Amino acid sequence: MTGPSVKSLIRSPLPFVFAALIIASPSFGQQQFVESPYKTVPITNIKPQGWLRDQLQIMKSGSTGHLDEVHTKIAVDNGWLGGKGDGWEETPYWLDGAVPLAYLMDDAALKTKVLKYINWTINNQRPSGYFGPITKAEREGGKKITESNCEEGEDWWPKMIMLKVLQQYYSATGDKRVISFMTNYFNYQKKVLDKCPVGKWTEWATSRGADNVMIAQWLYTITKDASLLDLAQKIESQSFTWSTWLGNRDWVMNAAANQTDSNWMSRHAVNIGMALKSPAVNYQRTGDDKYLRALKTGWNDLMLLHGLPMGIFSGDEDLHGNDPTQGVELCAIVEAMYSMEEILAITGDIQYIDALERMTFNAPPTQTTDDYNMKQYFQIANQVQVSRGVFDFSLPFDRQMNNVFGLRSGYTCCTANMHQGWTKFASHLWYSTEGNGLAALVYAPNELKTTIGKEERTIKETTNYPFDDQITFSFSTKKDVALPLKLRIPSWCKEATVLLNGQLLRSEKGGQVIVLSRTWKNNDKLVLQLPMTITTSNWAKNSRTIERGPLVFALKLGERWEKGNEPKEGDYFSVYPTEDWNYGLLEETIKDPSTFRAVVQPLSSPFVWNQKNAPVTITAKARKIPGWKVVDGVAHQPVTDRNGIYKGQVDDKIETITLIPYGFTKVRIVAFPVVK
Ligand SMILES: [Zn+2]
């Protein structure tokens, strides 16, 4: 092993040896491995606070902390504990969120719980390096999987998730067993992939190979074993060619036009959420800019042709155009969030950092219940009711349960996978950078503890962001410390100000990451002010969405919850509005968004994402559109002329409507028609 020791790389985020940003890889000819400008810090260094801590606490008391008790597939005779029960994706999915939660919250009970699965997985790695649940052949034939009988192994895909689980466990604990475990496994993959390629068992593995590539490259940054890059290249060559598809525009256009059974895995939104990271990890391995261009083209095209106001592309289950009546699967959202967290670390591109905040603060909270025990498989942007039905989804399912709230409704991938959303967002609130530096690129309340040399330093980030526009960083340090602090000024912010101990330090334009290189003293207080003006954005069918900072706003509606039961999918809830929702926004107000006013209130304690506790309200002038009604559970967007104005009948009466952040609604309009 060469380069920084494992210990210095992982246990302490700061004292890195950043000899050069680009490190030549001996076995890779002209290609060069690109060191990430932003590196993750150990999970245990970040302590979520404020509203984010409340959210994680709810998850700990709810399904994230207890899925192994309430979800039969995981609870009974679990394959990842040596049993004959489920040994595929749902247990590692759950751990992918439960492991970071256990360490972010420093929760002894949850650590004990997740360690059972981690220890079983590590202790039962076969001598060949193969790992995972006991295979059918092993159980029946008594012969362990080796490189000579790899065809008797099972699907590569769920192992890709378990690798991510172990990587996070390592970040939290520094347990060196993870490094030898992964080294052995990747050695096994190197030997058998010609005979047992990525797609041998399922197309899920072929479509999600980038996650395998990513972890092989992560291990390379620790062990500097260049053969890991050859392995990464091999896995990439056997997987879906996402980088090419994202860069070539015919893929995204075909996905907008065709909703057939052919090639649907390449249009499946969860696969795409995961695949976004593929060009970035390929760029990291090779240093070839073509991958960054492919990602930019692909992301812009995706959001142009399939984008929805809450910052995510449609996917019900497949990409399905940009009509606000399309749905999106919860897995697609949390996977896209994680991809963005990886992409921004590798590229530092502010477009993806803004995109990460927009999808995080709007899309996921609406799709789970207050207690985090139920979820919707698909949410709809303009969701005027949550109900059973056959909507215009590419996968409607016979039992019509895709849109309701339930633990097991729709499909249970999201029941298991949703836990990684908030937890990984929290563990990516800080990155370490060159020269002992630190970077806060996305914002939420937390406390960072870091060690430089032997000195422990704390930076407390106090804020109600994204609801409020001020973020305060308070330094605690026994000795003065020189370090560059990088902060992102979001693109939506016209001009930010930075104050140090009450004195104006800098004013900066939005759309950049600024560097504050100075010697920080104990009790230094740095205030970042990000003024949020209200703007509007254009979406499908000439609809408009009102925005403030990273939040999009939706019509506030009273809710009536109705309990139901479906014999196979269990208890569920439908939600209906108790008020009229069929409003169009007045053109005169859209023309001058400065007339809108936001009222910001203190956050609820404890904080909950629901309609009653929305901390920001915006009022707007509107008229009702009497002909805009629910048809088969859906509010199809009213037609407009070229100027974007609805020309049908509207009420004479002008009314004042109240909008709240999208994440606090369950039933809503977010993409409004415009009326005279
Ligand atoms: Zn799912």
Side-chain angles (χ1 to χ4, degrees):
M1 192 196 298
T2 57
S5 72
V6 170
K7 190 161 182 288
S8 73
L9 266 167
I10 295 306
R11 293 300 298 158
S12 163
L14 294 175
F16 291 91
V17 182
F18 284 91
L21 279 179
I22 293 183
I23 297 173
S25 154
S27 72
F28 242 65
Q30 296 304 307
Q31 298 188 321
Q32 290 183 311
F33 187 86
V34 181
E35 196 90 353
S36 297
Y38 299 104
K39 292 175 189 298
T40 51
V41 301
I43 290 173
T44 43
N45 286 15
I46 297 173
K47 291 272 168 280
Q49 304 284 332
W51 70 261
L52 183 58
R53 188 168 189 85
D54 287 351
Q55 175 62 34
L56 297 181
Q57 181 61 49
I58 288 169
M59 291 166 65
K60 191 161 73 74
S61 309
S63 62
T64 316
H66 300 277
L67 199 67
D68 59 324
E69 299 156 46
V70 298
H71 185 35
T72 314
K73 219 186 236 182
I74 293 176
V76 178
D77 201 19
N78 192 299
W80 289 94
L81 293 175
K84 291 177 190 162
D86 188 59
W88 203 51
E89 68 183 10
E90 292 197 10
T91 298
Y93 263 161
W94 165 59
L95 294 169
D96 201 22
V99 166
L101 184 66
Y103 290 94
L104 283 164
M105 299 297 277
D106 195 18
D107 185 81
L110 192 52
K111 283 184 203 169
T112 305
K113 193 175 257 198
V114 300
L115 261 172
K116 269 195 308 183
Y117 299 86
I118 287 169
N119 283 336
W120 188 90
T121 300
I122 293 176
N123 294 339
N124 289 279
Q125 185 172 36
R126 320 305 190 263
S128 62
Y130 181 87
F131 79 91
I134 309 300
T135 67
K136 193 162 176 284
E138 287 177 318
R139 207 177 286 285
E140 290 169 2
K143 196 174 160 214
K144 288 189 173 162
I145 303 300
T146 66
E147 57 193 88
S148 59
N149 68 342
C150 67
E151 62 283 348
E152 293 183 347
E154 286 169 2
D155 195 358
W156 295 111
W157 152 238
K159 298 174 179 69
M160 297 179 196
I161 317 171
M162 192 52 100
L163 292 173
K164 291 192 293 174
V165 171
L166 291 167
Q167 180 204 31
Q168 294 180 91
Y169 167 69
Y170 182 72
S171 167
T173 64
D175 185 339
K176 290 201 171 58
R177 292 183 302 163
V178 172
I179 302 305
S180 49
F181 174 93
M182 283 195 190
T183 301
N184 294 341
Y185 178 59
F186 290 138
N187 282 339
Y188 173 77
Q189 282 201 308
K190 286 174 207 164
K191 287 175 199 155
V192 306
L193 276 179
D194 282 331
K195 198 162 86 163
C196 297
V198 170
K200 177 162 179 63
W201 291 280
T202 67
E203 213 177 16
W204 296 111
T206 332
S207 58
R208 297 168 174 184
D211 280 41
N212 201 152
V213 170
M214 173 185 70
I215 301 292
Q217 292 179 192
W218 172 78
L219 188 63
Y220 167 77
T221 65
I222 293 172
T223 66
K224 295 292 183 278
D225 172 2
S227 70
L228 287 166
L229 299 182
D230 298 330
L231 173 67
Q233 172 59 40
K234 183 167 216 89
I235 298 165
E236 165 67 14
S237 74
Q238 294 183 350
S239 304
F240 277 11
T241 54
W242 288 110
S243 295
T244 308
W245 295 345
L246 286 161
N248 291 356
R249 318 189 77 175
D250 54 347
W251 164 78
V252 74
M253 286 192 284
N254 273 319
N258 297 316
Q259 302 297 323
T260 68
D261 200 31
S262 115
N263 297 320
W264 68 269
M265 286 287 277
S266 75
R267 305 192 317 270
H268 179 48
V270 182
N271 290 348
I272 293 157
M274 299 178 73
L276 289 170
K277 71 173 80 70
S278 183
V281 296
N282 289 338
Y283 164 74
Q284 176 162 59
R285 186 178 66 255
T286 62
D288 192 335
D289 286 346
K290 75 175 180 189
Y291 292 114
L292 298 184
R293 290 194 296 275
L295 178 58
K296 187 133 291 201
T297 301
W299 174 247
N300 288 337
D301 283 354
L302 260 179
M303 290 310 285
L304 177 70
L305 289 175
H306 304 277
L308 297 169
M310 62 283 201
I312 189 75
F313 42 86
S314 66
D316 54 19
E317 286 181 335
D318 305 346
L319 287 179
H320 209 163
N322 61 357
D323 196 312
T325 55
Q326 296 312 141
V328 57
E329 183 181 340
L330 185 49
C331 281
I333 299 167
V334 296
E335 291 292 356
M337 284 167 61
Y338 179 57
S339 284
M340 287 299 166
E341 287 152 10
E342 292 297 313
I343 290 166
L344 73 87
I346 295 169
T347 68
D349 188 329
I350 196 154
Q351 182 183 5
Y352 306 119
I353 319 178
D354 287 338
L356 170 60
E357 275 199 351
R358 187 179 177 112
M359 63 177 76
T360 302
F361 294 142
N362 295 292
T366 178
Q367 212 157 341
T368 53
T369 49
D370 291 358
D371 57 8
Y372 216 75
N373 283 330
M374 290 190 176
K375 58 95 200 37
Q376 284 174 296
Y377 187 44
F378 300 150
Q379 66 165 288
I380 298 172
N382 275 359
Q383 185 166 267
V384 295
Q385 65 186 53
V386 171
S387 61
R388 290 180 73 174
V390 180
F391 305 115
D392 183 18
F393 295 150
S394 49
L395 189 69
F397 278 146
D398 296 346
R399 290 193 289 269
Q400 308 179 8
M401 292 283 283
N402 285 351
N403 181 234
V404 295
F405 285 94
L407 180 75
R408 290 188 287 119
S409 53
Y411 190 71
T412 52
C413 52
C414 305
T415 304
N417 195 12
M418 64 186 185
H419 314 284
Q420 69 164 315
W422 287 118
T423 50
K424 288 186 185 168
F425 181 74
S427 65
H428 289 85
L429 287 171
W430 287 94
Y431 292 85
S432 64
T433 65
E434 204 176 356
N436 285 344
L438 289 166
L441 302 175
V442 292
Y443 302 116
N446 75 90
E447 191 173 291
L448 174 76
K449 269 196 189 357
T450 68
T451 307
I452 303 174
K454 286 179 184 164
E455 293 287 328
E456 194 174 81
R457 267 96 187 189
T458 304
I459 303 177
K460 188 163 185 180
E461 182 176 342
T462 311
T463 185
N464 283 339
Y465 187 89
F467 316 109
D468 202 356
D469 59 6
Q470 183 173 299
I471 303 157
T472 302
F473 300 91
S474 311
F475 289 74
S476 290
T477 174
K478 281 197 184 119
K479 287 185 190 159
D480 295 355
V481 57
L483 64 84
L485 178 67
K486 293 193 174 184
L487 301 174
R488 157 179 153 270
I489 313 294
S491 302
W492 48 256
C493 180
K494 286 199 187 102
E495 186 165 87
T497 53
V498 185
L499 292 96
L500 181 66
N501 302 325
Q503 301 292 311
L504 181 67
L505 199 61
R506 284 161 79 162
S507 292
E508 293 283 355
K509 296 266 172 278
Q512 58 170 330
V513 174
I514 60 166
V515 191
L516 303 166
S517 290
R518 53 182 304 115
T519 300
W520 304 93
K521 298 181 187 333
N522 191 34
N523 292 328
D524 268 354
K525 238 185 205 17
L526 187 79
V527 174
L528 176 64
Q529 192 83 43
L530 302 169
M532 296 173 170
T533 46
I534 299 173
T535 57
T536 71
S537 53
N538 288 41
W539 298 90
K541 307 257 168 84
N542 280 326
S543 61
R544 288 287 181 126
T545 293
I546 294 176
E547 312 189 354
R548 176 181 180 268
L551 299 178
V552 300
F553 282 71
L555 181 62
K556 182 180 187 181
L557 291 167
E559 297 165 2
R560 179 170 60 81
W561 288 64
E562 207 172 84
K563 193 173 180 181
N565 181 274
E566 201 287 327
K568 289 208 165 59
E569 300 187 22
D571 288 345
Y572 69 89
F573 282 94
S574 309
V575 189
Y576 297 92
T578 59
E579 300 164 83
D580 289 339
W581 50 264
N582 52 336
Y583 289 99
L585 294 173
L586 281 199
E587 185 193 22
E588 62 190 55
T589 59
I590 293 295
K591 279 184 173 163
D592 186 11
S594 68
T595 56
F596 292 115
R597 287 281 170 272
V599 177
V600 183
Q601 284 159 338
L603 300 189
S604 64
S605 181
F607 176 83
V608 193
W609 292 90
N610 62 23
Q611 178 255 19
K612 285 197 190 85
N613 290 312
V616 191
T617 51
I618 292 175
T619 49
K621 296 267 187 288
R623 289 184 205 267
K624 264 188 203 154
I625 300 174
W628 195 16
K629 294 192 166 119
V630 176
V631 179
D632 295 332
V634 169
H636 292 288
Q637 208 69 13
V639 291
T640 60
D641 66 5
R642 192 183 284 151
N643 296 321
I645 307 298
Y646 174 68
K647 288 290 180 63
Q649 194 204 338
V650 295
D651 271 7
D652 290 339
K653 191 174 145 201
I654 295 176
E655 298 182 51
T656 300
I657 58 170
T658 301
L659 308 172
I660 55 175
Y662 182 94
F664 293 83
T665 62
K666 293 290 189 259
V667 282
R668 65 192 157 245
I669 295 294
V670 62
F672 286 90
V674 179
V675 297
K676 282 281 187 192

